[in-house]
Amino acid sequence: KVEALSRIATRMSSRRLVLGSGGMKVDDLVRAAVYRHEVKLDRGALENFLRADMKAGKVPRIASLEEVEVDSCDTYLSVEAGRACIFTTLSVFFSQKGRVSGETLKYLTDLLNSPIDIKVPLTASDAETAKSLLKILLGNGRCVTEGKESTFVEALDASGVMLVEFSPEEKSFFFHENFIFALSSAVSFVSAKKLEKASIFFDCAAGLTAESVKTSASFFEPSAIEEVTNHKGVAAVAENIRNLTEGSKRVANSVPAANTPAQVRTICQTHGPSREEVDRHVRAALNDVAAATKALETSLPSGIAANSLHSQSATAAVARSLSALLSLSALSKQRLGAYADSSAAVEEAEKLTAQLQGFVGEAVSKLVLPKEAGGEGSVIRAANTLEKCVTAAMSVLAVEVELGVATMKEVEAEVKRKEELREQKRKEMEAKAAESGNGEGKKKKEKKKKEKEGAVKVSDPLGLGKGTAMFRNALLASKDKKEEGVVVKDFLSPLDEDLAAAALEAVSTRDLRRKPKIPKGTRDLHPEQMAVREKVFKVITNVFKKHGAVTIDTPVFERKETLTGKYGEDSKLIYDLADQGGELLSLRYDLTVPFARFVAMNGITSIKRYHIARVYRRDNPSMSRGRFREFYQCDLDIAGNYGVMIPDSEVLAVVCEILESVPIGAYEMKVNHRRLLDAMLDIAGVPAYKFRPICSAIDKLDKEPWESVKAEMVYEKGLDEEVADKIGQYVQIKGEPKATLAKLMEIEEFTNHKVAFETLKEMELLFNYTDALGITSKLSFDLSLARGLDYYTGLIYEAVLTGAHVGSVAGGGRYDDLVGMFSASGKKIPAVGVSIGIERLMAMMESTCTGVRQNETEVLVASVGGLLKERLEICGELWRSNIKAEVIYSEDVKMKKQIEFAIEKRIPFMILIGEDEIKGNVVKLKDVESIEEVVVERAKVIDIIRSKLSERGEVSLFDLAENSKKSQE
């Protein structure tokens, strides 16, 4: 409570805002309208207004405080909405130098800072509300001052605020469409912020309930949430609950999951969608304020259309938010069932929820209807409806909060009782010790007692989480500020700035020392892993270069339109980035589509390129099988007009060379042709418009049995069962390339089908080329291979490891139309390529290539008796001679430690120096593995080291795998 009160004092000292000429700021709007912060005008800007008045010959227009006949009204806007109207008027006027008097600005400022709360009539339209506001500011209206209702003129007289007569130009603002747009946007935003703060209270109350009844923390962990849903709102609520219960002993993994009440287990899943709807509403309201501010910078009549669209979207947003608010209230009522004795609370909550439900139902029915059909048609009326519903929802929530506070009071009393019993027992033991004459023991006891009394307890005695304790203390502090006998529902409100700030801080507070985590589907790579990876990259790069390829680079993100429509059903796995000012961007899904865009943009007609870089897929990761959300691809692509199947056969040869250059065991290259696949589907009786969806289903045959794939074709894709059975017969055809080709040539349906026959002839040509390259034995002609990407047009292929379950380790195909999609003239550049799945290769090799050196240091320069400068001199000579060398960063280090360092890092050679070696201009060259030492002249040591290093040679990946195998044996 002391901490909560100190935070209140800090906020009290900063409750003043200075309004400048930079337009209306939404934070200032909330501070002035909802929390009544003092408003000051920028002194320099105000003086400019007053000087402009003097220059124009304007004199202060102080109106007389004469009583006028006041219009009557049954319904008014909330106090906060009325203050929002005044603040918006002041902000708009403050941006109109030369058109608005400085005295008018002072009048509006004094009115905001006074205790006067104007009562703005709730009218049928936003334009009528603007007119009503003008009437009030001119003296025709009612208000409330510190709980006492009176006419506006009477309140001005009592408060000492001078009524200023508006000029005709100032009055004209209230009839301008853009001003009305700004007014309604401001009121709408204030109501949206109230809703946002109320939704945070719902999370805090849920956290308090979880603490009160004791809950397993496992239900709120990211892994548990991700297993159920990827919903952003659910993840946000889970984060809030974790923040509230950080460090809790009552919401912890030690609490059995089975003991957690069902109403508490699903807090995140049930709160999430409603919270996301609230956040969407707040963002929309914020955008409306920004649009209104921009519209006020011009006098164009476009504000009429903008206001019309604003009315439709704002009222629809309020309707959705009211439904979300009702859902949150109903969930709060359900959570009461988690408490042991809650029958009275449940009964009260049911009455309040029923009232809210009736009110929301009536309001939503009006909001979703157009004005002509009896709907609201007014943004301000919709915002006013939302505010009333928020107040009603707070009454429902207060029942849960009251029960949680009461439960924790009982826990607090029990903790205090146990503490008193312990203290009593301690005193009894001390008394016995004193009676027995154990003086020394008594002194120690007294010393420990003093130390204990002087110690500061840093943890919550109730075992509450840091955020929950903060929220509870803020509730108690707010209650202490009220009169005796108040209950939670009397002060649980978004209008309580201190309580709202404490709730926001509670859901945002986490211990920064908490163990960090990396995103799902990603991983950190350690030095040993990177050493293996670099060797593999080097092997792959050398193969690419051996075939004459050049490298390029493209941005890690592309325009969304570049990527969409290229990946079939996998398009849903593309990572979209947040809107960055008009450009819709996405992280690249692969390297092929960016390459096609690169070729088209740069007018390239032929290129053989390789590219090694990261790509991103929002897939369900399987780390053990090498399936990640962020991973490297190693691509080779050949673009240009060449002979049929010539570049295709070379790409296949490249894949075989790479897979035979790394120790991964036996592999098989499956090949097929997209045109042959389409012909097969046509022969089977599949409609042409279903080719791509059926191909996507066939592509799953390497992961799922035929029965599952068939069920997808029939029940999800709408294919006739007989057609599916015929496809099942064809996709089983596979085997040695030439034998399979011969088998297909014997099938009459294929030879009589023009496209099928032409494609089989192309495949025959391919196998002739692969014979010449010596790789046909590595191929398998497989009609079940589909490759689900939409852009393939010709040969497709995929490499898999035999006997291993890690999926494909390489794949690709021909895509003759992809480049043309990005060409302004539609010019097609045929292309074929392959992508090496480096992550899956690494998943295999990390277990077979253990014990690799993390660095490549070749020489450690060591010394006896310091000699740091001399060690550095020798290191410098080695570095200049391109020899990898190190020195331990210590002025005086023992020889034993230097030798241990060399052995641990597996550094092959050491140069040893001492005083004698320095005098004789020699060094000792030590072979660390054989422990042999030779004395070498200083001038010859570099040549000798080079000679010995060349004799050792480089350790290959196969050597590493063999050494690892021997070590395991």
Side-chain angles (χ1 to χ4, degrees):
K1 286 171 67 176
V2 171
E3 289 180 2
L5 290 170
S6 68
R7 289 190 183 92
I8 291 172
T10 302
R11 281 192 289 273
M12 287 292 291
S13 64
S14 61
R15 284 180 172 168
R16 174 183 293 178
L17 63 93
V18 178
L19 184 64
S21 57
M24 183 166 62
K25 297 178 181 177
V26 289
D27 289 341
D28 290 347
L29 171 62
V30 174
R31 290 171 63 192
V34 179
Y35 300 129
R36 308 186 74 98
H37 285 199
E38 183 183 3
V39 179
K40 291 287 184 182
L41 298 177
D42 180 78
R43 183 178 298 176
L46 179 59
E47 288 176 354
N48 288 337
F49 272 88
L50 295 174
R51 278 196 294 269
D53 291 348
M54 293 178 62
K55 190 174 181 180
K58 296 179 181 179
V59 295
R61 307 178 308 280
I62 308 301
S64 60
L65 294 177
E66 296 178 1
E67 287 293 338
V68 294
E69 185 179 350
V70 177
D71 297 335
S72 60
C73 181
D74 296 330
T75 313
Y76 296 92
L77 295 183
S78 67
V79 170
E80 297 75 41
R83 289 181 62 81
C85 289
I86 300 173
F87 184 81
T88 303
T89 305
L90 176 61
S91 299
V92 172
F93 280 12
F94 209 52
S95 64
Q96 303 295 322
K97 182 183 173 183
R99 303 177 66 190
V100 175
S101 167
E103 292 297 330
T104 304
L105 298 177
K106 290 172 65 178
Y107 163 56
L108 294 174
T109 305
D110 292 342
L111 183 57
L112 279 172
N113 293 332
S114 73
I116 300 172
D117 293 325
I118 63 171
K119 299 183 69 175
V120 181
L122 188 62
T123 60
S125 69
D126 296 339
E128 288 296 322
T129 301
K131 293 176 185 177
S132 298
L133 176 64
L134 176 60
K135 285 183 179 180
I136 296 170
L137 296 177
L138 294 177
N140 183 359
R142 303 195 66 81
C143 64
V144 175
T145 308
E146 296 178 343
K148 182 182 178 181
E149 186 172 344
S150 66
T151 65
F152 185 56
V153 170
E154 288 174 344
L156 290 175
D157 188 26
S159 301
V161 178
M162 290 187 296
L163 179 65
V164 173
E165 183 181 343
F166 282 28
S167 69
E169 188 171 16
E170 290 170 345
K171 292 177 184 178
S172 70
F173 278 96
F174 292 83
F175 299 89
H176 196 285
E177 295 85 358
N178 288 339
F179 178 84
I180 297 168
F181 182 21
L183 208 62
S184 60
S185 297
V187 174
S188 177
F189 182 74
V190 167
S191 68
K193 289 300 287 186
K194 282 187 181 179
L195 174 65
E196 181 185 46
K197 294 179 185 299
S199 68
I200 294 173
F201 282 149
F202 276 100
D203 282 358
C204 289
L208 182 61
T209 295
E211 297 265 22
S212 299
V213 301
K214 289 191 176 182
T215 306
S216 172
S218 62
F219 294 109
F220 312 123
E221 290 297 324
S223 56
I225 299 300
E226 288 173 356
E227 286 178 7
V228 179
T229 179
N230 287 325
H231 200 286
K232 291 181 181 178
V234 174
V237 172
E239 178 70 15
N240 284 353
I241 299 298
R242 290 197 298 273
N243 291 346
L244 285 161
T245 58
E246 175 72 22
S248 172
K249 295 179 181 178
R250 303 180 65 83
V251 177
N253 288 318
S254 58
V255 179
N259 294 354
T260 301
Q263 300 92 331
V264 181
R265 295 182 184 185
T266 57
I267 286 174
C268 305
Q269 292 86 335
T270 51
H271 269 217
S274 298
R275 278 298 310 278
E276 186 167 0
E277 194 60 60
V278 170
D279 292 343
R280 189 181 294 115
H281 181 179
V282 174
R283 289 195 299 271
L286 179 62
N287 290 336
D288 285 341
V289 173
T293 303
K294 191 171 183 179
L296 285 165
E297 296 174 358
T298 175
S299 58
L300 294 175
S302 59
I304 301 173
N307 198 20
S308 174
L309 293 173
H310 163 60
S311 175
Q312 296 172 25
S313 62
T315 52
V318 169
R320 293 192 299 269
S321 291
L322 286 174
S323 299
L325 189 63
L326 182 61
S327 175
L328 289 171
S329 301
L331 293 169
S332 175
K333 183 196 71 174
Q334 288 178 11
R335 284 194 296 273
L336 297 175
Y339 290 90
D341 185 14
S342 59
S343 55
V346 170
E347 186 178 349
E348 182 183 358
E350 283 178 347
K351 291 179 182 178
L352 294 170
T353 305
Q355 292 174 6
L356 175 63
Q357 191 170 7
F359 190 67
V360 168
E362 181 182 355
V364 168
S365 65
K366 288 184 178 181
L367 288 167
V368 296
L369 289 173
K371 186 178 180 181
E372 297 77 16
E376 292 287 4
S378 164
V379 176
I380 294 177
R381 286 182 69 90
N384 193 69
T385 300
L386 179 59
E387 289 194 46
K388 287 185 177 180
C389 288
V390 168
T391 303
M394 286 293 96
S395 298
V396 178
L397 185 65
V399 178
E400 180 185 8
V401 174
E402 189 80 66
L403 192 55
V405 170
T407 301
M408 292 315 302
K409 275 190 176 180
E410 294 174 3
V411 174
E412 188 175 25
E414 180 64 18
V415 169
K416 187 176 180 181
R417 186 184 66 81
K418 290 181 179 179
E419 184 64 33
E420 289 174 351
L421 287 175
R422 281 194 294 268
E423 182 66 17
Q424 182 180 349
K425 189 173 182 180
R426 183 184 64 79
K427 288 180 178 179
E428 290 175 358
M429 292 177 65
E430 286 181 357
K432 287 182 181 179
E435 289 175 5
S436 63
N438 190 355
E440 189 64 31
K442 183 178 179 181
K443 289 180 182 179
K444 290 182 179 179
K445 292 281 186 181
E446 288 177 352
K447 184 178 179 182
K448 285 184 178 180
K449 181 182 175 182
K450 289 180 181 179
E451 290 176 353
K452 188 176 181 180
E453 289 173 350
V456 178
K457 289 187 177 181
V458 294
S459 60
D460 186 89
L462 303 181
L464 293 176
K466 190 175 180 181
T468 310
M470 186 182 298
F471 178 63
R472 176 177 176 269
N473 293 339
L475 286 169
L476 298 177
S478 294
K479 189 172 183 179
D480 287 347
K481 292 190 297 181
K482 310 295 180 181
E483 296 178 1
E484 193 70 29
V486 298
V487 291
V488 170
K489 69 178 181 180
D490 296 328
F491 59 84
L492 184 66
S493 167
L495 302 181
D496 188 325
E497 183 179 11
D498 298 318
L499 188 56
L504 179 60
E505 191 174 355
V507 298
S508 306
T509 301
R510 288 199 87 179
D511 190 348
L512 296 178
R513 294 170 296 177
R514 183 179 176 88
K515 185 179 178 181
K517 296 181 179 180
I518 60 174
K520 184 179 179 181
T522 64
R523 62 173 180 165
D524 292 323
L525 295 171
H526 296 272
E528 186 172 338
Q529 293 171 305
M530 283 303 300
V532 176
R533 184 172 293 252
E534 285 180 350
K535 285 181 177 292
V536 176
F537 280 153
K538 187 176 180 180
V539 167
I540 294 173
T541 302
N542 287 341
V543 173
F544 288 158
K545 288 182 176 180
K546 184 167 61 177
H547 285 259
V550 296
T551 189
I552 65 166
D553 197 11
T554 59
V556 74
F557 52 84
E558 296 274 353
R559 294 175 67 90
K560 186 176 180 179
E561 63 193 39
T562 300
L563 303 181
T564 50
K566 314 297 189 307
Y567 304 107
E569 293 185 356
D570 282 352
S571 290
K572 63 181 180 292
L573 304 181
I574 295 174
Y575 267 112
D576 293 332
L577 301 180
D579 185 3
Q580 299 294 327
E583 275 194 319
L584 296 179
L585 306 173
S586 301
L587 293 177
R588 60 189 176 201
Y589 178 88
D590 65 4
L591 300 177
T592 305
V593 171
F595 168 66
R597 191 261 312 148
F598 173 88
V599 171
M601 280 184 62
N602 292 279
I604 297 171
T605 56
S606 63
I607 186 175
K608 183 189 291 184
R609 86 88 173 86
Y610 74 90
H611 191 184
I612 299 176
R614 282 191 170 104
V615 297
Y616 301 85
R617 296 182 185 178
R618 201 177 59 189
D619 202 352
N620 187 26
S622 175
M623 311 294 271
S624 60
R625 298 183 62 189
R627 183 188 297 153
F628 301 91
R629 288 181 170 176
E630 178 195 54
F631 56 95
Y632 272 97
Q633 279 191 340
C634 305
D635 280 21
L636 174 75
D637 291 86
I638 303 173
N641 286 286
Y642 302 107
V644 178
M645 290 295 180
I646 299 174
D648 309 62
S649 60
E650 183 180 6
V651 170
L652 292 175
V654 167
V655 177
C656 292
E657 282 185 50
I658 289 173
L659 296 182
E660 288 171 8
S661 300
V662 291
I664 56 171
Y667 68 91
E668 179 183 64
M669 279 287 293
K670 298 179 182 180
V671 296
N672 198 2
H673 201 293
R674 179 54 69 89
R675 293 182 67 209
L676 182 62
L677 193 61
D678 288 349
M680 179 190 77
L681 297 179
D682 188 32
I683 293 168
V686 178
Y689 70 91
K690 287 188 177 181
F691 281 5
R692 292 290 78 81
I694 298 302
C695 279
S696 295
I698 294 174
D699 191 42
K700 299 174 183 176
L701 280 171
D702 62 335
K703 310 179 193 73
E704 300 177 13
W706 164 248
E707 289 74 18
S708 299
V709 174
K710 177 185 173 182
E712 180 181 339
M713 290 180 179
V714 175
Y715 300 114
E716 294 183 26
K717 314 291 186 185
L719 200 64
D720 290 341
E721 189 169 356
E722 292 180 3
V723 175
D725 288 336
K726 201 165 187 180
I727 294 173
Q729 295 174 13
Y730 291 145
V731 296
Q732 293 177 20
I733 299 174
K734 64 183 72 174
E736 194 276 330
K738 291 194 172 181
T740 306
L741 180 64
K743 183 177 181 180
L744 290 172
M745 284 292 195
E746 294 173 358
I747 300 175
E748 196 171 318
E749 289 96 330
F750 281 85
T751 54
N752 290 339
H753 193 284
K754 181 181 178 183
V755 174
F757 184 72
E758 289 176 354
T759 308
L760 290 174
K761 284 296 183 181
E762 287 186 13
M763 296 300 288
E764 183 178 16
L765 186 61
L766 171 70
F767 297 144
N768 288 335
Y769 293 152
T770 56
D771 277 345
L773 293 170
I775 60 171
T776 305
S777 61
K778 300 293 184 181
L779 306 183
S780 170
F781 193 178
D782 190 341
L783 261 64
S784 69
L785 179 65
R787 301 291 293 169
L789 304 183
D790 280 359
Y791 53 68
Y792 289 129
T793 59
L795 183 70
I796 52 177
Y797 33 84
E798 193 171 87
V800 295
L801 303 181
T802 56
H805 301 285
V806 294
S808 62
V809 294
R814 174 162 287 280
Y815 49 98
D816 290 346
D817 299 333
L818 187 58
V819 176
M821 292 182 183
F822 302 108
S823 173
S825 62
K827 182 181 179 181
K828 293 184 179 181
I829 304 293
V832 63
V834 68
S835 179
I836 308 297
I838 187 68
E839 303 298 344
R840 289 180 176 174
L841 289 179
M842 292 306 304
M844 293 286 295
M845 293 178 59
E846 282 175 5
S847 59
T848 60
C849 294
T850 58
V852 64
R853 284 187 61 194
Q854 297 179 9
N855 62 27
E856 297 183 6
T857 304
E858 296 164 332
V859 180
L860 174 68
V861 182
S863 66
V864 178
L867 302 176
L868 177 59
K869 182 180 178 182
E870 288 76 8
R871 279 186 282 150
L872 291 174
E873 286 179 358
I874 296 175
C875 253
E877 292 175 14
L878 294 171
W879 290 333
R880 286 189 292 274
S881 301
N882 290 323
I883 295 175
K884 298 161 187 168
E886 271 192 88
V887 62
I888 294 180
Y889 303 137
S890 179
E891 292 184 3
D892 190 8
V893 57
K894 294 181 179 178
M895 180 57 68
K896 181 182 178 182
K897 185 176 181 180
Q898 295 176 89
I899 294 174
E900 289 173 349
F901 181 87
I903 294 172
E904 181 186 352
K905 300 292 184 182
R906 294 189 233 174
I907 301 172
F909 299 104
M910 291 179 68
I911 289 180
L912 310 176
I913 58 172
E915 293 292 348
D916 293 340
E917 285 74 20
I918 297 295
K919 292 176 183 177
N921 201 25
V922 295
V923 299
K924 286 183 179 178
L925 184 61
K926 181 183 181 72
D927 187 316
V928 176
E929 187 175 351
S930 66
I931 323 180
E932 294 180 359
E933 291 183 10
V934 291
V935 178
V936 180
E937 292 181 23
R938 176 78 174 267
K940 296 180 180 180
V941 67
I942 289 176
D943 291 335
I944 293 173
I945 290 174
R946 282 176 175 162
S947 175
K948 289 183 175 291
L949 289 173
S950 63
E951 291 174 6
R952 291 176 61 87
E954 186 176 353
V955 179
S956 70
L957 289 167
F958 289 96
D959 293 334
L960 288 172
E962 185 64 27
N963 293 338
S964 177
K965 184 179 179 181
K966 289 179 179 178
S967 176
Q968 291 173 2
E969 290 173 352

